[in-house]
Amino acid sequence: SAWSLAQLARSRPMFPPETLARFPAVLSRLEAATMPVLHEFIPRYCVMLAWAFARVGTGTHAFFNTLGDLLMGQLHHMTPRQTSNF
């Protein structure tokens, strides 16, 4: 998962630079695959995706805007605890 890749990117000992250099490309392909189905994701998964992409330092403005729009649209359906996890 994207979250797992981002966790690996910050693990110690560090991965070799050539391995870390591949993470943005993998996430770029993941972005392309998830964009058409993001509207089906629950808020928790959207938040995890946003965190992972931000942690690795990749993702397009369109991707983050879509995630933000989806999350804002779900805000009124969420409990206070779920909202605090944003």
Side-chain angles (χ1 to χ4, degrees), residues 50-65:
W51 179 88
F53 277 74
R55 180 69 183 109
V56 175
T58 191
T60 63
H61 288 288
F63 182 68
F64 284 107
N65 286 339

Side-chain angles (χ1 to χ4, degrees), residues 8-37:
L8 288 173
R10 55 183 251 181
S11 69
R12 300 286 183 250
M14 290 291 293
F15 278 85
E18 58 274 5
T19 301
L20 291 174
R22 294 180 183 184
F23 285 12
V26 170
L27 289 177
S28 178
R29 287 193 295 265
L30 182 62
E31 177 183 332
T34 58
M35 281 293 276
V37 294

Side-chain angles (χ1 to χ4, degrees), residues 3-84:
W3 185 86
S4 298
L5 282 175
Q7 284 292 94
L8 288 173
R10 55 183 251 181
S11 69
R12 300 286 183 250
M14 290 291 293
F15 278 85
E18 58 274 5
T19 301
L20 291 174
R22 294 180 183 184
F23 285 12
V26 170
L27 289 177
S28 178
R29 287 193 295 265
L30 182 62
E31 177 183 332
T34 58
M35 281 293 276
V37 294
L38 273 178
H39 64 280
E40 299 175 16
F41 283 33
I42 62 172
R44 178 176 176 219
Y45 296 155
C46 289
V47 170
M48 291 173 70
L49 270 178
W51 179 88
F53 277 74
R55 180 69 183 109
V56 175
T58 191
T60 63
H61 288 288
F63 182 68
F64 284 107
N65 286 339
T66 301
L67 282 172
D69 291 345
L70 288 169
L71 290 168
M72 291 304 292
Q74 294 292 322
L75 201 54
H76 63 283
H77 295 293
M78 298 171 69
T79 66
R81 182 173 184 193
Q82 290 171 322
T83 305
S84 71

